[in-house]
Amino acid sequence: MNKFTMALAATTTLLAANTYADDNVSTLSAVKDRGYVSCVIGNSFPGFYSLNKAGEWQGMDIDMCRGVASAVFGDASKVKFLPVQWAQSFTSIKSGKGDILSKGMTWTLSRDTQQGLDFLDTYFYDGQGFMVRKDLGVKSVKELKGATVCVLTGTSSELNIADYSRANNLDIRTVVFDDSSVRNTAFFNNNCDALTNDKSGLAAQRSAAPNPSDYVILPETISKEALSFAVKQNDSEWANVVKWTFAAMIAAEEFGVNSQNVEKMRADSQSPVIRRLLGVEGDLNNGLGLPQDWAYQVIKNVGNYGEVYERNVGPNSVLGLDREGTLNALWTHGGLMYAKSFR
């Protein structure tokens, strides 16, 4: 059995093992008793979640889930990944099969209020765009009048393109798919004039094309896409664990703490904030139900937000996305990444 088959078998086992959640049992207690975090992801989104050549999950969403496992168990490996189709994303959390939804999901009002979920923090600010074949000669979305566009069904992208087409009298015809890999194949086989997705997704899909230079991402951004975590609704104890794990990654970057220097910072730093963050002093862990060194474990095992960004989606990654000058920069550099106070 190769590692890809093993990954599929593990997913099948996870699906079978997890039945509908008992609403009387907190997620944190269930996770501790089970011995691992169950993280709901998609099938493949390079830079965010995908299998490498060794059959191991990697990506920004993967690291976020490993961060939560580090906070709870002090061990980033104590997480199992549950890849699901888009239509199963919400039910996987509501049923208790998954503990965290981290799969490039846009935070919207209807999802936050009608799907039995609580959205927490935005870990990547994105926007919807369009990709076309370079030989089509299209320079703007406004030139796609009457075009066919491949899109994933049930997503905010499908709704956004309908609004944009109507507002701009473009008469765009959508070709919808349940599976992103089938959608991508259809586009690369010239079954659609354009492919629409979040721009980070378009960069990922172009990088996987047989000849990436044959495709161009058009300049317009037609929506705001706040990619965010979600957990089961009304479980504040577990929501606190997830959102403060992410906050620890942001705070660590702001204060200059990373996976390479965290041991020294924990031993030598005289900064009260850093000492509280790393569990050297104070009792901030008590309200979370976590060990005193939970944030130290997150940073040691996974890294700060900047490290996670750079290795998965940054300029030297497969996506090659610059962070400087974007909303994903720290607030001190003009972005929106901002950790609440560790006090």
Side-chain angles (χ1 to χ4, degrees), residues 30-102:
V31 167
K32 288 179 176 179
D33 290 343
R34 187 195 312 138
Y36 62 87
V37 176
S38 176
C39 183
V40 176
I41 57 173
N43 291 315
S44 183
F45 184 174
F48 289 84
Y49 46 85
S50 62
L51 287 169
N52 62 22
K53 292 181 179 179
E56 301 162 334
W57 287 105
Q58 62 181 10
M60 200 168 189
D61 285 289
I62 302 304
D63 281 346
M64 295 302 172
C65 290
R66 287 187 172 133
V68 175
S70 296
V72 177
F73 299 108
D75 186 344
S77 70
K78 290 193 174 182
V79 56
K80 293 187 179 181
F81 298 102
L82 178 61
V84 302
Q85 299 288 7
W86 203 262
Q88 298 173 295
S89 301
F90 307 124
T91 55
S92 296
I93 297 298
K94 290 188 289 186
S95 69
K97 291 176 182 175
D99 306 313
I100 309 169
L101 179 63
S102 185

Side-chain angles (χ1 to χ4, degrees), residues 189-233:
N189 286 339
N190 298 332
N191 293 327
C192 303
D193 297 315
L195 171 66
T196 189
N197 197 1
D198 296 347
K199 283 193 166 180
S200 62
L202 294 178
Q205 283 122 32
R206 182 171 63 178
S207 72
N211 296 294
S213 61
D214 290 346
Y215 301 90
V216 60
I217 297 173
L218 299 178
E220 292 94 343
T221 302
I222 70 167
S223 70
K224 295 178 291 183
E225 305 295 324
L227 309 188
S228 309
F229 311 107
V231 297
K232 187 173 66 174
Q233 200 167 52

Side-chain angles (χ1 to χ4, degrees), residues 261-280:
N261 68 13
V262 66
E263 297 281 3
K264 180 174 175 56
M265 296 288 270
R266 190 167 191 253
D268 300 339
S269 177
Q270 297 305 305
S271 164
V273 177
I274 292 175
R275 289 172 67 84
R276 286 196 298 270
L277 173 68
L278 300 181
V280 178

Side-chain angles (χ1 to χ4, degrees), residues 77-286:
S77 70
K78 290 193 174 182
V79 56
K80 293 187 179 181
F81 298 102
L82 178 61
V84 302
Q85 299 288 7
W86 203 262
Q88 298 173 295
S89 301
F90 307 124
T91 55
S92 296
I93 297 298
K94 290 188 289 186
S95 69
K97 291 176 182 175
D99 306 313
I100 309 169
L101 179 63
S102 185
K103 57 170 296 184
M105 182 69 68
T106 300
W107 186 348
T108 70
L109 187 152
S110 58
R111 288 174 177 172
D112 199 21
T113 60
Q114 299 175 25
Q115 295 294 340
L117 305 177
D118 280 330
F119 280 80
L120 305 178
D121 290 287
T122 297
Y123 59 91
F124 192 88
Y125 290 93
D126 210 341
Q128 186 174 336
F130 294 80
M131 180 164 63
V132 298
R133 296 184 304 279
K134 189 178 292 184
D135 61 14
L136 199 62
V138 172
K139 304 299 183 184
S140 167
V141 179
K142 298 292 180 63
E143 298 174 34
L144 290 177
K145 188 174 179 65
T148 56
V149 178
C150 288
V151 64
L152 203 62
T153 189
T155 63
S156 56
S157 296
E158 184 181 14
L159 301 176
N160 292 337
I161 192 174
D163 287 349
Y164 189 82
S165 176
R166 178 182 175 187
N168 292 278
N169 194 30
L170 294 178
D171 192 28
I172 287 174
R173 291 168 291 160
T174 56
V175 183
V176 299
F177 299 87
D178 291 320
D179 188 304
S180 58
S181 62
V182 177
R183 175 203 59 189
N184 298 343
T185 300
F187 171 69
F188 291 128
N189 286 339
N190 298 332
N191 293 327
C192 303
D193 297 315
L195 171 66
T196 189
N197 197 1
D198 296 347
K199 283 193 166 180
S200 62
L202 294 178
Q205 283 122 32
R206 182 171 63 178
S207 72
N211 296 294
S213 61
D214 290 346
Y215 301 90
V216 60
I217 297 173
L218 299 178
E220 292 94 343
T221 302
I222 70 167
S223 70
K224 295 178 291 183
E225 305 295 324
L227 309 188
S228 309
F229 311 107
V231 297
K232 187 173 66 174
Q233 200 167 52
N234 300 324
D235 189 346
S236 60
E237 180 184 54
W238 180 241
N240 285 339
V241 170
V242 176
K243 68 184 180 185
W244 282 102
T245 294
F246 180 64
M249 293 180 174
I250 298 292
E253 183 183 11
E254 180 181 343
F255 301 136
V257 183
N258 57 51
S259 60
Q260 300 303 308
N261 68 13
V262 66
E263 297 281 3
K264 180 174 175 56
M265 296 288 270
R266 190 167 191 253
D268 300 339
S269 177
Q270 297 305 305
S271 164
V273 177
I274 292 175
R275 289 172 67 84
R276 286 196 298 270
L277 173 68
L278 300 181
V280 178
E281 61 182 52
D283 58 359
L284 295 180
N285 61 301
N286 287 347

